[in-house]
Amino acid sequence: MMRFRQVIDPLSPENKLLLATGPMSGTSAQSFSKWIAVTKSPLTGTFSRSLGGGDFGAWLKWAGFALIIFEGRAAQPVYLHITDGKYEIRDADAIWGKTTSQTHAYLKKEHGPKARMVYVGPAAEKLVRFSPIISGRRAAGRGGMGTVMASKNLKAIVIEANRSETLANPAEFKRLVRQQIKGYKETMDGVVFQEFRKHGTVMGLDWFYSNFGSIPMKNHRFGELEGWPENIGMWPYAEVTEKHVGCYGCMIKCGKVRRIPSGPYAGISSEGPQLETAWAFSGPTGCTSRDATIVASHRCDELGLDTISTGNTIGFAYELFEKGILTTKDTDGLVLNYGDHEPMLELIEKIARREGLGNILAEGVKRAASHIGKGAEEYAMHVKGLEMPGYDPRARKGMGMNWALGNMGANHNYGWPQQEIHDPKPRLLDPVADEGQGDVLKWNHDQTAALELAVACYFSSHHLQFFDLGLVAKMLEAALGVPRFGSEDYLWYVGDKVYNLERCFNIREGFDRKDDTLPKRFLTEPLRGGIRDGEVVRKPDAILDQYYDVRGWDRNGIPTKETLARLGLEELDRDIARFRR
Ligand code: SF4
């Protein structure tokens, strides 16, 4: 019987951490070899999931594991070693406290160059609430997946495995992969992809800044910043790009390794920064040093910090300093002036060590604001406790309300409204329309849920549009031999079901309409500067009402009895009925 258990502390032994890979992982299919972490987030208290890249998903599958559930807590630091269907728990004393690259090097030495692994950094061990699980330089980044892993005294998972493939219909699967690769090659030959290949996601820095005015500056107050995009834009990053890298089984290779050629940080490199990280260490603090963004990205990867949450919490501190809510007495003498990157780099270290102000910021902006008081809540930019990515909701209202409605809060990897940019499916959206986006937001949420259920790369499908749910359905059927998986309509149904299931989890935790909102700043304070100067989010309730209606939810955002029955979730009615109105 499907009933939720009672509310638990995300950092208690009772919380579960699920690590899974997809049914097509480790096969010749393109962009299907990711892995996914699922847990109750220590940052938001909501259901949370996050996809990671690299090779680990393929290795997990080859080792014979589709899903691992971690619960409880080891008595001392350990790591899990898996080899060909067997596993053992090993002592992690030698790597506890070590950075991610030190951990990686130790485990490679111990288990050989063919081993693949995920691990947490020292920040996770200190229970910084926004620590990711890292694999190489890829991360399951948002919501504190690594924090939960470290709370179980689990430092790493190491896999040794040989390639293997089990498919229900190998001939049909091969045909579909050939079709997929043909499509990839055609798209990759195009002019747009050639540009993307050169720059990666940082192309969006220039594009969104100039054409949409949607890059938020100085803790989400301004739509423009001197030095953008000349210093923080695709061309400065292109100058220092060394190579293109990607996940197992993906020709796209969206990652860019960048190395600082000269100056005080010469030689430091990072796989990135990607668009969100480049923004996170520039926009919130008003710093326009490209090299500082690379150093910040490198430090976060080494220490195990989510770059978006880290950049935001630091931007929040800069604004509190400007307002006089924080002084040098609170910051251990650091002067947090907008535009100065040295204090930003120092605060990254302090957060990871939970030292001084860093100990407060390590709780995320929502908890930090409540701890600091003096009106600091006004300046904490988050949804449901998750810090906001690099798009201003006043300049892209569909994006803003996507986050307001998000089961995980302000997560840019979920339901990203492409329709505000160029995608006519199911229809284009005006980025500054005050209402009318609800049905499209539901479409995006369901599509994301369906794609991630197959552990398909959301970025290559939803953003870059290399494949759609129709192809995913056919490939799933060929891989697993289950006829209903071959129906695109069925995947849409499952996406809807997943979204409702997550919603019910959150309702049980106390979330409802009051939480489907944006920080007051976006509703009352006009955006200043840039091409969307003067915009505010005017009618959030109209968008909520439309979304709830198309979902089959009541006015409090609770799925109706009929909706649960339609999705085969009627057993959850007992958990959520009391929240309806
Ligand atoms: S598009 Fe990028 S993130 Fe997605 S699978 Fe390919 S390399 Fe990995």
Side-chain angles (χ1 to χ4, degrees):
M1 181 174 177
M2 190 190 294
R3 288 288 321 273
F4 289 138
R5 289 175 50 188
Q6 74 190 98
V7 175
I8 49 133
D9 176 351
L11 295 178
S12 71
E14 286 77 32
N15 196 11
K16 293 182 200 306
L17 173 68
L18 282 63
L19 219 62
T21 189
M24 290 179 265
S25 186
T27 68
S28 50
Q30 293 294 299
S31 317
F32 281 99
S33 287
K34 300 191 90 163
W35 50 279
I36 188 165
V38 180
T39 196
K40 178 178 173 181
S41 164
L43 190 60
T44 62
T46 63
F47 171 91
S48 193
R49 68 170 186 262
S50 189
L51 254 70
D55 295 340
F56 183 76
W59 261 249
L60 185 58
K61 182 79 183 303
W62 295 345
F65 289 82
L67 165 71
I68 307 176
I69 303 174
F70 297 95
E71 54 189 338
R73 176 181 293 145
Q76 69 283 320
V78 296
Y79 73 94
L80 179 67
H81 176 235
I82 298 174
T83 175
D84 288 330
K86 298 192 237 43
Y87 64 89
E88 63 176 331
I89 293 170
R90 293 193 169 199
D91 191 284
D93 251 8
I95 44 177
W96 197 253
K98 300 290 185 204
T99 65
T100 56
S101 64
Q102 288 165 341
T103 302
H104 188 95
Y106 176 91
L107 293 171
K108 280 272 181 186
K109 200 167 166 209
E110 198 75 3
H111 297 288
K114 288 189 183 156
R116 294 294 186 275
M117 55 200 77
V118 293
Y119 28 73
V120 296
E125 296 167 24
K126 295 274 186 194
L127 301 182
V128 175
R129 285 185 187 265
F130 42 87
S131 284
I133 300 174
I134 292 188
S135 181
R137 285 291 171 260
R138 297 264 168 165
R142 305 233 63 200
M145 301 289 154
T147 317
V148 173
M149 182 164 152
S151 77
K152 301 191 176 307
N153 273 334
L154 180 62
K155 176 73 177 178
I157 302 157
V158 186
I159 299 179
E160 294 172 71
N162 295 314
R163 191 186 162 88
S164 67
E165 199 172 88
T166 312
L167 298 164
N169 186 342
E172 175 62 2
F173 192 79
K174 204 169 164 187
R175 187 188 73 74
L176 290 166
V177 171
R178 270 204 302 269
Q179 180 188 326
Q180 197 193 16
I181 290 174
K182 184 167 172 279
Y184 270 51
K185 283 187 176 154
E186 282 165 10
T187 307
M188 290 170 79
D189 283 344
V191 180
V192 175
F193 186 82
Q194 290 306 318
E195 279 301 296
F196 176 78
R197 181 161 180 75
K198 202 186 304 168
H199 300 288
T201 55
V202 295
M203 263 176 91
L205 295 172
D206 305 52
W207 176 249
F208 295 124
Y209 182 82
S210 305
N211 298 311
F212 291 85
S214 63
I215 306 263
M217 304 299 186
K218 296 188 179 174
N219 202 29
H220 300 263
R221 280 189 285 169
F222 299 90
E224 63 186 354
L225 183 69
E226 206 182 324
W228 269 68
E230 309 85 79
N231 301 335
I232 304 290
M234 61 185 188
W235 291 109
Y237 287 109
E239 283 168 12
V240 293
T241 300
E242 272 189 350
K243 60 179 173 179
H244 313 290
V245 291
C247 306
Y248 178 90
C250 182
M251 297 154 69
I252 297 170
K253 296 192 192 309
C254 68
K256 312 290 156 201
V257 175
R258 299 184 170 113
R259 186 178 300 277
I260 300 170
S262 56
Y265 306 115
I268 291 177
S269 77
S270 164
E271 186 186 327
Q274 309 276 14
L275 180 152
E276 289 294 342
T277 301
W279 165 78
F281 294 113
S282 172
T285 52
C287 303
T288 54
S289 158
R290 174 201 64 191
D291 291 354
T293 67
I294 296 174
V295 175
S297 172
H298 171 82
R299 274 191 198 173
C300 286
D301 286 347
E302 283 291 313
L303 298 167
L305 291 168
D306 171 34
T307 55
I308 298 176
S309 286
T310 305
N312 264 285
T313 52
I314 294 173
F316 161 72
Y318 270 55
E319 186 169 5
L320 295 189
F321 194 85
E322 184 196 63
K323 298 278 186 298
I325 295 173
L326 291 178
T327 68
T328 47
K329 282 194 194 121
D330 307 298
T331 62
D332 298 327
L334 289 177
V335 178
L336 307 182
N337 281 339
Y338 280 120
D340 290 349
H341 65 260
E342 284 91 354
M344 172 181 82
L345 296 176
E346 179 62 28
L347 276 174
I348 292 173
E349 304 267 356
K350 281 177 168 291
I351 289 171
R353 292 195 297 263
R354 276 189 172 271
E355 181 186 290
L357 178 63
N359 189 34
I360 297 165
L361 299 181
E363 293 289 292
V365 291
K366 186 179 174 195
R367 284 181 179 81
S370 143
H371 176 92
I372 293 165
K374 303 180 199 163
E377 285 90 349
E378 293 274 313
Y379 312 106
M381 299 296 119
H382 68 89
V383 175
K384 300 184 175 91
L386 189 64
E387 289 77 15
M388 305 193 71
Y391 305 94
D392 196 299
R394 292 163 292 200
R396 291 193 56 193
K397 292 175 190 171
M399 178 68 91
M401 293 310 291
N402 166 48
W403 294 333
L405 283 155
N407 285 334
M408 293 169 259
N411 190 332
H412 69 296
N413 281 323
Y414 209 111
W416 208 100
Q418 293 272 97
Q419 298 83 0
E420 291 185 324
I421 310 301
H422 63 83
D423 191 351
K425 280 187 298 181
R427 63 187 169 79
L428 285 168
L429 290 177
D430 173 356
V432 287
D434 287 324
E435 55 188 314
Q437 299 92 332
D439 57 325
V440 179
L441 299 185
K442 175 190 183 293
W443 195 91
N444 289 333
H445 285 159
D446 290 351
Q447 189 206 47
T448 313
L451 282 169
E452 294 197 348
L453 210 64
V455 198
C457 172
Y458 170 73
F459 181 66
S460 55
S461 174
H462 184 79
H463 286 271
L464 300 179
Q465 304 192 329
F466 273 80
F467 58 94
D468 60 17
L469 267 188
L471 183 67
V472 175
K474 286 188 208 150
M475 292 175 80
L476 276 176
E477 184 182 1
L480 297 171
V482 180
R484 73 175 182 281
F485 292 173
S487 154
E488 185 180 342
D489 285 347
Y490 182 72
L491 293 195
W492 281 105
Y493 167 80
V494 172
D496 192 2
K497 183 171 182 168
V498 167
Y499 209 78
N500 274 277
L501 190 55
E502 294 170 359
R503 179 77 178 187
C504 289
F505 179 101
N506 287 350
I507 292 164
R508 191 274 316 269
E509 303 290 314
F511 291 86
D512 59 18
R513 185 180 187 120
K514 70 181 178 320
D515 305 292
D516 293 342
T517 189
L518 292 165
K520 199 168 130 204
R521 167 161 284 170
F522 302 113
L523 310 178
T524 59
E525 201 178 302
L527 181 60
R528 285 188 264 167
I531 65 165
R532 297 301 186 198
D533 181 57
E535 280 292 340
V536 287
V537 178
R538 293 182 190 87
K539 295 186 179 173
D541 282 322
I543 299 173
L544 290 193
D545 285 344
Q546 188 201 2
Y547 183 92
Y548 290 176
D549 285 346
V550 290
R551 274 259 174 241
W553 294 355
D554 76 356
R555 278 291 166 269
N556 196 25
I558 313 296
T560 63
K561 215 169 170 147
E562 296 71 34
T563 298
L564 293 181
R566 176 176 63 77
L567 297 168
L569 297 172
E570 44 279 85
E571 289 171 8
L572 298 182
D573 195 56
R574 287 172 57 185
D575 286 320
I576 66 165
R578 68 183 186 280
F579 298 101
R580 293 201 185 100
R581 67 172 191 232

